[in-house]
Amino acid sequence: MSQRELYESYAPRLYVVCRRYANSEEEAEDILMEGFMEVFKNLKSYRGEGAFDKWIQSVMVRSAISHYRSTKHYRKELLMDEMDENSLVSEDTTVFGTLEAKQILALLEKCPATERTVFNMKAIDGFSFEEIAKTLEKKENAVRIAYMRARNRLMAALGIEYQ
């Protein structure tokens, strides 16, 4: 399969992944392009272990996180998260499965970048808090707080009271 065929085959699905992490469609397109550059550069590292779909999606998620780290918001929010590191957080995971993808995306766009990224990684991409903390180079408690805040924002936007 050529690079063009690979791109045309996977780009629509991977754009959705990128869009969840981005602030705008343009930013999602940038992340998608950066991600495909990484895919093409590292294609030889795919050993055939596990599904190719999962491998290429993980490259896109890492590309989105890399993009996220390069923004100014990351540095500003990192300081705020460190200030909150002693807050208590519940490990409860509320499922938003009944919402359509467009609704979730619209709600997530209103969350700060850190919260959106953590929520995506935990609730949608299935990373553990420990993995997220390591990937984002944050303390695990700060990641839990960001997840809790994102979840609470989403629930509040839906008019659901959380206890």
Side-chain angles (χ1 to χ4, degrees):
M1 179 181 283
S2 72
Q3 287 182 349
R4 180 184 206 131
E5 290 171 322
L6 183 67
Y7 176 83
E8 289 173 354
S9 177
Y10 285 93
R13 284 182 277 166
L14 294 173
Y15 174 79
V16 174
V17 172
C18 297
R19 187 65 181 98
R20 285 190 282 116
Y21 287 88
N23 289 319
S24 66
E25 291 179 12
E26 294 79 19
E27 188 176 28
E29 290 170 5
D30 289 345
I31 294 169
L32 184 70
M33 290 301 119
E34 292 167 12
F36 267 105
M37 296 293 282
E38 287 300 309
V39 166
F40 298 144
K41 187 169 91 177
N42 297 304
L43 198 53
K44 291 180 182 178
S45 72
Y46 175 67
R47 298 181 191 137
E49 298 171 6
F52 182 74
D53 290 0
K54 291 292 183 185
W55 177 81
I56 197 168
Q57 182 173 338
S58 72
V59 172
M60 282 302 149
V61 169
R62 284 193 309 273
S63 181
I65 291 166
S66 176
H67 181 84
Y68 161 77
R69 281 185 179 152
S70 69
T71 65
K72 295 179 209 172
H73 301 295
Y74 173 73
R75 288 164 187 77
K76 193 184 314 177
E77 288 185 27
L78 180 63
L79 293 173
M80 293 181 72
D81 286 345
E82 291 299 323
M83 289 171 28
D84 292 333
E85 72 184 26
N86 294 320
S87 298
L88 298 175
V89 179
S90 166
E91 286 203 28
D92 178 40
T93 55
T94 304
V95 179
F96 292 91
T98 58
L99 295 177
E100 291 184 23
K102 286 182 182 179
Q103 291 172 305
I104 294 173
L105 183 60
L107 294 172
L108 283 173
E109 285 178 345
K110 295 176 183 173
C111 290
T114 297
E115 292 175 18
R116 180 178 57 242
T117 300
V118 169
F119 186 84
N120 279 321
M121 291 180 77
K122 176 70 176 156
I124 299 173
D125 294 321
F127 288 89
S128 70
F129 286 122
E130 182 181 356
E131 291 170 318
I132 297 167
K134 190 178 288 185
T135 302
L136 298 179
E137 299 172 348
K138 291 180 174 267
K139 293 184 179 182
E140 189 173 329
N141 197 40
V143 168
R144 291 175 187 273
I145 291 167
Y147 178 77
M148 178 194 68
R149 286 181 180 162
R151 183 195 61 214
N152 290 345
R153 282 181 201 275
L154 293 172
M155 292 179 74
L158 294 170
I160 299 171
E161 214 173 290
Y162 182 75
Q163 298 178 359

